[in-house]
């Protein structure tokens, strides 16, 4: 799958100057998110957290999230699922109990070590250190692209960390699935991001990026502060992002971590923190 846009809009968009605004709509300065030639910012966080990742508030809703996804997808025994930005593998480890065959990808060796330690011996799940932005790197890591029934990227584990590299992650998800397979991803919601800036946070109104300095809890109750950047999208932008990778969006709904099933398909409220997107690959002869 090519990520070329043909008319250069992506490079032109990325080159536009930022316009960071604080919670009172005042101009502020913020560092730019890491570009495609730099490691993703979450690698450093994963190295710090390791097994403490499971204590993140967003990681506590796995059962509800999977219940909602089972209502959308066929996730029966033998289904092949790729999870890009899998963290400690919480979704794949839970799906393995249903006989799902999973491959989890993350850039953090420490998070994947925690994933392997928590995986049941009889689970048909493997975890691979690779960067979801790097198609060739995924192939080199042994990821069997084009053979998966479902490809996931949830909770901004890989997708949503930079407007420059998000199209590459979506292209990798599209390349991973077989004809008829489906991609499910969650994206930070632009309306929510703009409406609910907290003191100390900032929002780039040009590129749709939310920035915060977050205190992250690690092992032994140690804490450290990290810069976090999250790309935010409208539904229209999500559809365009997917279309650029040859995906047709078939369903959207507003969600938040641990509450994927609270909205009906097609319902997105202004106060929904995330958008869940379901798409299928479009193969043209």
């Amino acid at each position: 799958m090519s990520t070329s846009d043909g008319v250069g809009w992506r490079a032109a968009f990325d080159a536009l100057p930022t316009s960071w605004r604080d919670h009172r709509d005042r101009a502020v300065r913020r560092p730019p998110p890491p570009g495609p030639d730099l490691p993703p910012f979450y690698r450093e966080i994963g190295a710090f957290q390791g097994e403490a990742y499971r204590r993140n508030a967003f990681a506590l809703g796995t059962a509800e999230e999977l219940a909602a996804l089972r209502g959308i997808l066929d996730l029966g025994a033998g289904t092949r699922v790729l999870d890009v930005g899998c963290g400690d593998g919480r979704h794949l480890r839970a799906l393995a109990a249903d006989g799902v065959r999973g491959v989890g990808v993350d850039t953090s060796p420490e998070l994947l070590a925690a994933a392997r330690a928590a995986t049941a011996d009889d689970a048909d799940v493997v975890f691979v250190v690779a960067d979801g932005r790097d198609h060739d790197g995924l192939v080199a890591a042994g990821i069997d692209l084009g053979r998966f029934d479902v490809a996931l990227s949830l909770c901004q584990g890989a997708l949503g960390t930079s407007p420059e590299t998000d199209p590459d992650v979506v292209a990798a998800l599209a390349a991973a699935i077989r004809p008829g397979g489906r991609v499910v991803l969650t994206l930070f919601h632009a309306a929510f991001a703009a409406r609910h800036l907290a003191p100390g946070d900032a929002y780039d109104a040009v590129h749709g990026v939310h920035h915060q300095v977050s205190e992250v809890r690690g092992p032994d109750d140690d804490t450290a502060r990290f810069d976090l950047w999250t790309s935010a999208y409208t539904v229209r932008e999500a559809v365009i992002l997917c279309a650029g990778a040859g995906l047709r969006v078939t369903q959207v709904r507003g969600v938040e971590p641990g509450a994927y099933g609270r909205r009906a398909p097609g319902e997105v409220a202004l106060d929904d923190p995330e958008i869940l997107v379901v798409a299928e690959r479009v193969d043209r002869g």
Side-chain angles (χ1 to χ4, degrees):
M1 296 285 181
S2 172
T3 59
S4 172
D5 54 55
V7 295
W9 71 264
R10 179 175 163 189
F13 173 69
D14 291 341
L16 290 173
T18 59
S19 182
W20 291 104
R21 315 297 294 187
D22 70 5
H23 69 292
R24 294 181 177 173
D25 200 17
R26 299 172 300 192
V28 293
R29 293 181 179 273
R30 287 293 187 271
D37 297 327
L38 294 174
F41 70 83
Y42 209 94
R43 184 180 298 175
E44 185 179 0
I45 301 175
F48 172 70
Q49 283 198 302
E51 292 187 357
Y53 174 93
R54 65 179 181 270
R55 296 165 57 185
N56 286 315
F58 65 78
L60 303 179
T62 304
E64 190 282 340
E65 292 165 5
L66 289 179
L69 291 177
R70 289 186 185 99
I72 298 171
L73 304 167
D74 179 7
L75 293 172
T79 304
R80 299 191 62 180
V81 177
L82 175 70
D83 187 352
V84 177
C86 67
D88 71 348
R90 60 193 179 95
H91 292 102
L92 291 181
R93 290 189 283 109
L95 285 172
D98 299 330
V100 167
R101 303 167 61 194
V103 176
V105 172
D106 204 281
T107 65
S108 169
E110 293 80 6
L111 290 181
L112 294 187
R116 296 185 188 102
T119 300
D121 291 340
D122 60 348
D124 192 356
V125 180
V126 297
F127 296 102
V128 179
V129 178
D131 191 332
R133 307 173 301 174
D134 181 4
H135 179 279
D136 292 340
L138 292 172
V139 174
I143 307 300
D144 197 8
L145 300 181
R147 301 287 299 278
F148 290 92
D149 303 300
V150 175
L152 305 174
S153 188
L154 306 174
C155 294
Q156 289 73 51
L159 180 62
T161 59
S162 170
E164 280 195 75
T165 57
D166 283 352
D168 300 312
V169 177
V170 178
L173 295 170
I177 57 174
R178 60 169 175 77
R182 294 208 270 179
V183 167
V184 180
L185 50 91
T186 57
L187 297 163
F188 198 35
H189 188 198
F192 179 93
R195 283 162 60 90
H196 296 287
L197 279 180
D201 293 359
Y203 186 69
D204 176 5
V206 172
H207 299 95
V209 178
H210 178 271
H211 175 266
Q212 66 182 136
V213 179
S214 180
E215 186 171 84
V216 176
R217 188 172 298 280
D220 303 319
D221 288 328
D222 292 339
T223 59
R225 294 172 68 82
F226 295 92
D227 286 287
L228 275 65
W229 296 267
T230 309
S231 300
Y233 292 85
T234 65
V235 170
R236 177 186 296 180
E237 290 164 342
V239 171
I240 293 171
L241 180 68
C242 289
L247 295 170
R248 178 191 294 116
V249 173
T250 60
Q251 185 185 132
V252 297
R253 67 174 70 182
V255 299
E256 65 178 294
Y260 282 11
R262 68 174 182 168
R263 302 284 186 207
E267 183 183 13
V268 180
L270 295 177
D271 282 340
D272 289 329
E274 298 178 359
I275 305 165
L276 185 143
V277 177
V278 183
E280 60 187 13
R281 198 172 83 182
V282 179
D283 289 309
R284 297 179 176 88

